[in-house]
């Protein structure tokens, strides 16, 4: 298996496709990257900026350059010796006209050869959805859209379509008869009933009334295609047929003198025959019979548990693996699949001996399923661990008090999460919960313990259990029920019982039902029924966690924003040094090739924004004074008798402002615009005063005005005068934090992942802000200059980098030097064990140190933390004055002389390495034994 030394994530777009990636590949090789890591490359909806709205998983995205450009990129990566890690999207596809498979389902319903490809309940309990799929894309109620003439029938070489603005949905083949025979006398009078063209026309149209059923899907498909082709030839070749069809289309669309009522009735009757039900988009929150990606109506889930579906949707990936283009895979949203374990085992057969990582969000302390044949996760667990060790945990009580005082938030985080999950059920996932409740009601109908529980009672109990579910999901299958999964189910029910003692009977019954498939004494029928329910239950807890926590609670609980990250636990104020080392020991032993990420396309803020905000954890007293001063200076507006922004949003705003404030004053105008957009998104995600579904224009306008006022040198002069000195201080220590974070990422067990553009300071905010274009020409020039200077005079280069840290070159230098070191001592990084090292002396708590060792070869990482305790603003934490008698205890005495990879200095230690010797010129260090240099 080829294991990357270091990956570089590229977000491909129509503006930055394969050829652009090929142009920068030499720069990435020179940086020290071993593998390109590309966002999805399969055909997506036109104009997609991310590629996750897959329209055809079997084709290469033409907007990225298509197959030719893809293979040109492969030729270049091969020439440069670079590998290729590919992001794939198995869970869902776009609910869009560009999705030919789904359009075939909309046209043919259960008789479509692709009907089993998508996760659709064809036997839904609502009569209007039996045998049909909901299509929730109207901007208003269906009746209004119909009456307003927004839904029309259209015809082209592909057949008859229902047109709704730029969306179109194929007409069921059996319904063609209504359109093509309406007022047939008109055509008969012009052609004559014995005319060959008229007879041919009638025969072709009537063919569509007697199509094969679902058991002959392929035959049906071929017959429909042939018939539509013949009709189009008649339409194109005979002016009378063309005029007749156009006349009928006008009639159905309300022209030709037909009254609105008559035409709408005709069109409504036609719509009623379709294999889909066109509906107002909000209907999907309460009534839905297909599984979505989270709450996005435009992404429909795929049934990868079906072996044929797996095979058909992975043909392109198989080709690119077999041809040697792709060396590894990153699996998107693994928790959305019906059976993640089964899917990964199939993937292992498709891509044997390939590097595979999964996008899996692990909660605090949750292990990755051991039976998964993967190298590990994409790195959110690492991100939150390294971020946590740079947060001053001992100041948690002070920040809790500050947050209660300034934001009036005293509610425990766990209760907030449960409330936000319930909110998500009510506003976005009610239909999913109702589907589960109906399934459970049906399954429990003949159970004497469950038949008296009402549908309403089951629904309430399900919401309670899911709201308190401690992890994203469990992984129970017909073949396996891990004890830890049973424990998670019990924990959820116990928490729900504590909160809702009035539902004791319902909750106890649900616990029994959920656990029945894990109980040996249960009958085969009981296990089968409970498994059917559990498998669907497991696919709902994940979206509920993601929407309730990541996209809601993380914008409401704002005690310290650096902790509010994907997979993070904001109520856990940092991690101890022992916890940090324990995490890395487990990684080295269990998943040494998992990805180590500190920024992704989905993180809530840039990696260096988090590093800045972590500085606040060290100085609660100063932070208290600053907030107090800023609140006195800044005047909030009044909206409906309440201040806007509210106290919690203002507290959020100040932290976000400190973290993302640009180094260059000339960027302020652009930053102000970006920051307003970010804050509007943040308050909508919080769903307290405004939401994505229903904007509160007054609140949002007041927030925007507030930001523009305080960030103006004219109206916000007093605030900026108080803000900027503190911001510069936080930015200085934040840069030092960032360097420690970077060195840990590059040297800890795992594969370091670099998100595009983060070679320099990453002060971006949540997407789409973190997906802006990157100036690679500037980065290439900076790298070339750094490399030349390092060869000529490294000491002078270090002084230059330290003297101008704000330009980000120091980060680029560290990244390049350590990635190069990973190449030179690859076996130590990839196979070496992990040994925590102990610091002794006055600043022992300010040092993170560990050894990576393989055989007699060793590397030592030493980085400081809590820099405000070590040096003043604009001062380097270097030398005896800072480190006093602090030293690192080595595991074996007399290991001899060490060489600092970053500075080029040699250090001698006899059982101990003095911190003052390590940090004489530079704030972070990577040491290698002299004999290994």
């Amino acid at each position: 298996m080829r294991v990357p030394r270091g990956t570089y994530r590229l977000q491909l777009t129509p503006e930055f496709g394969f050829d652009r990636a090929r142009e920068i590949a030499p720069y990435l090789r020179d940086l020290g990257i071993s593998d390109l890591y590309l966002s999805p490359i399969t055909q997506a909806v036109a104009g997609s900026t991310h590629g996750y709205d897959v329209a055809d998983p079997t084709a290469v995205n033409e907007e990225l350059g298509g197959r030719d450009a893809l293979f040109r990129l492969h030729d270049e990566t091969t020439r440069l010796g670079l590998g290729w890690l590919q992001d794939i999207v198995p869970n869902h596809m776009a609910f869009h006209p560009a999705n030919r498979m789904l359009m075939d389902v909309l046209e043919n319903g259960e008789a479509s050869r692709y009907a089993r490809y998508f996760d659709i309940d064809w036997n839904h309990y609502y009569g209007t959805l039996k045998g049909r799929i909901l299509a929730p894309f109207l901007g208003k109620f269906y009746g209004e859209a119909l009456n307003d003439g927004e839904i029309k029938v259209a015809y082209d070489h592909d057949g008859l379509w229902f047109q709704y603005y730029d969306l179109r949905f194929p007409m069921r083949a059996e319904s063609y008869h209504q359109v093509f025979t309406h007022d047939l006398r008109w055509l008969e009078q012009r052609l004559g009933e014995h005319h060959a063209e008229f007879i041919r026309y009638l025969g072709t149209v009537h063919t569509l009334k007697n199509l094969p059923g679902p058991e002959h899907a392929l035959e049906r498909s071929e017959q429909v295609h042939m018939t539509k082709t013949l009709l189009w030839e008649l339409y194109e070749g005979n002016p009378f047929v063309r005029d007749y069809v156009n006349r009928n289309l006008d009639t159905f669309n309300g022209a030709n003198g037909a009254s609105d009522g008559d035409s709408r009735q005709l069109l409504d009757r036609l719509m009623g025959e379709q294999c889909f039900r066109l509906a107002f988009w909000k209907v999907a929150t309460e009534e839905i019979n297909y599984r979505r990606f989270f709450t996005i109506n435009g992404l429909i889930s795929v049934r990868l548990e079906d072996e044929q579906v797996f095979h058909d949707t992975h043909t392109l990936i198989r080709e690119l693996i077999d041809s040697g283009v792709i060396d590894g895979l990153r699996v998107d949203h693994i928790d959305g699949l019906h059976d993640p374990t089964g899917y990964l085992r199939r993937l292992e057969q498709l891509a044997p001996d390939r590097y595979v990582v999964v996008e899996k969000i692990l909660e605090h302390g949750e292990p990755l399923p051991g039976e998964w044949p993967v190298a590990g996760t994409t790195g959110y667990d690492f991100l939150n661990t390294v971020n946590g060790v740079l947060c001053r945990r001992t100041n948690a009580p002070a920040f809790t008090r500050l947050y209660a005082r300034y934001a009036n938030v005293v509610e425990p985080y766990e209760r907030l999460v449960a409330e936000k999950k319930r909110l998500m059920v009510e506003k976005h996932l009610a239909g999913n919960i109702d589907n589960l409740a109906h399934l459970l009601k049906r399954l429990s109908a003949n159970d004497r313990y469950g038949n008296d529980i009402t549908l309403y009672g089951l629904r309430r109990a399900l919401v309670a259990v899911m709201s308190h579910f401690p992890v994203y999901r469990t992984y129970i299958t017909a073949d396996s029920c891990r004890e830890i999964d049973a424990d998670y189910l019990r924990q959820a029910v116990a928490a729900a019982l504590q909160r809702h003692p009035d539902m004791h009977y319902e909750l106890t019954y649900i616990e029994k039902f959920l656990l029945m498939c894990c109980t040996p004494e249960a009958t085969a029928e009981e296990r089968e029924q409970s498994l059917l329910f559990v498998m669907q239950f497991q696919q709902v807890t994940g979206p509920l966690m993601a929407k309730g926590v990541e996209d809601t609670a993380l914008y409401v609980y704002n005690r310290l924003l650096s902790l509010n990250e994907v997979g993070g636990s904001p109520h856990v104020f940092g991690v101890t040094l022992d916890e940090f080392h324990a995490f890395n020991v487990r990684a080295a032993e269990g998943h040494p090739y998992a990805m180590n990420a500190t920024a992704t396309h989905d993180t809530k803020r840039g990696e260096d924004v988090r590093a800045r905000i972590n500085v606040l954890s060290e100085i609660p007293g100063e932070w208290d004074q600053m907030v107090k001063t800023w609140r006195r200076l800044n005047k909030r507006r009044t909206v409906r008798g309440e201040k806007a922004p509210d106290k919690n949003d203002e507290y959020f705003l100040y932290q976000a402002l400190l973290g993302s404030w640009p180094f260059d004053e000339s960027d302020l105008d652009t930053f102000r615009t970006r920051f307003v957009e970010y804050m509007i998104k943040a308050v909508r995600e919080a769903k307290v005063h405004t939401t994505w579904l229903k904007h509160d224009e007054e609140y949002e306008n007041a927030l925007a005005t507030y930001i523009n006022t305080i960030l103006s040198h004219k109206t916000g002069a007093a605030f900026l005068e108080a803000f900027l000195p503190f911001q510069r201080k936080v930015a200085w220590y934040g840069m030092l934090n960032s360097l420690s974070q970077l060195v840990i990422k590059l040297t800890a067990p795992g594969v370091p992942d670099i998100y595009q553009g983060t070679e320099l300071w990453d002060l971006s905010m949540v997407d789409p802000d973190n997906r802006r274009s990157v100036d690679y020409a500037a980065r290439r020039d900076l790298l070339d200059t750094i490399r030349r200077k390092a060869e000529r005079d490294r000491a002078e280069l270090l002084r230059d980098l330290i003297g101008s840290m704000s330009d980000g070159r120091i980060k680029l230098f560290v990244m390049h030097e350590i990635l190069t070191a990973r190449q030179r001592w690859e076996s130590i990084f990839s196979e070496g064990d992990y040994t925590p090292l102990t610091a002794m002396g006055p600043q022992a708590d300010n040092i993170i140190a560990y050894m990576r060792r393989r055989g007699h070869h060793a590397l030592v990482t030493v980085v400081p933390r809590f820099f405000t305790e070590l040096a003043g603003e604009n001062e380097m934490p270097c030398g005896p004055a800072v480190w006093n008698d602090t030293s690192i205890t080595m595991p074996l005495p007399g290991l001899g002389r060490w060489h600092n990879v970053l500075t080029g200095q040699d250090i001698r230690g006899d059982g101990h390495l003095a911190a003052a010797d390590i940090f004489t010129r530079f704030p972070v260090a990577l040491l290698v034994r002299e004999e290994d240099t």
Side-chain angles (χ1 to χ4, degrees), residues 155-161 168 225 228-229 232 235-236:
Y155 186 53
D156 60 19
H157 63 279
D158 289 324
L160 285 168
W161 296 82
R168 64 183 204 167
H225 176 73
K228 289 198 297 185
T229 300
W232 182 250
Y235 178 87
E236 286 278 272

Side-chain angles (χ1 to χ4, degrees), residues 336-349:
L337 301 179
H338 181 77
D339 178 11
T341 305
Y343 171 81
L344 290 171
R345 286 173 178 160
R346 281 204 182 113
L347 194 66
E348 184 182 30
Q349 295 173 355

Side-chain angles (χ1 to χ4, degrees), residues 546-584:
K547 299 304 295 181
V549 178
E550 289 179 29
D551 293 344
T552 307
L554 293 189
Y555 289 92
V556 178
Y557 187 82
N558 305 321
R559 182 172 59 164
L560 187 69
L561 286 190
S562 54
L563 304 177
N564 292 25
E565 196 47 85
V566 178
S569 303
H571 61 302
V572 179
F573 202 84
V575 303
T576 67
L577 201 52
D578 286 344
E579 290 169 335
F580 167 81
H581 287 310
F583 175 89
N584 285 324

Side-chain angles (χ1 to χ4, degrees), residues 25 39 87 158-160 190 397 402 432 514 575 607 648 669 682 697 755 776 810 831 843-844 846 859 910:
S39 61
D87 191 352
D158 289 324
L160 285 168
R190 280 150 184 80
L402 283 172
N432 301 76
L514 287 169
V575 303
E607 61 187 32
N648 195 32
D669 287 340
E697 300 288 349
Y755 182 65
Y776 284 108
I810 192 169
E831 301 174 34
Q843 275 71 48
N846 297 95
L859 288 158
D910 185 13

Side-chain angles (χ1 to χ4, degrees), residues 46-76:
S48 174
T49 59
H50 47 74
Y52 289 99
D53 42 1
V54 177
D56 185 353
T58 68
V60 177
N61 193 331
E62 290 297 328
E63 290 192 317
L64 302 182
R67 291 180 66 91
D68 290 345
L70 181 146
F71 283 103
R72 285 196 297 272
L73 173 59
H74 175 241
D75 289 342
E76 180 69 351

Side-chain angles (χ1 to χ4, degrees), residues 704-721:
T705 300
Y706 177 83
I707 294 169
N708 286 317
T709 298
I710 69 172
L711 298 189
S712 165
H713 283 294
K714 182 178 180 181
T715 56
F719 166 69
L720 291 175
E721 184 179 354

Side-chain angles (χ1 to χ4, degrees), residues 152 161 167 228 230 236 314 329 382 390 400 428 469 475 620 698 794 811 840:
K152 298 181 181 299
W161 296 82
L167 294 178
K228 289 198 297 185
L230 292 174
E236 286 278 272
H314 284 66
L329 298 171
F382 172 85
L390 298 176
T400 300
H428 300 277
F469 214 73
Y475 301 97
E698 282 191 77
R794 184 171 290 259
K811 185 181 182 185
M840 301 184 67

Side-chain angles (χ1 to χ4, degrees), residues 242-275:
R242 182 166 58 253
D243 289 347
Y244 169 69
V245 172
N246 289 342
R247 186 174 182 273
N248 283 355
L249 291 174
D250 288 341
T251 298
F252 276 84
N253 290 330
N256 281 345
S259 70
D260 283 348
D262 289 342
S263 65
R264 299 300 177 259
Q265 188 172 0
L266 280 173
L267 188 54
D268 181 46
R269 188 181 306 127
L270 194 62
M271 290 293 301
E273 293 183 357
Q274 303 314 305
C275 301

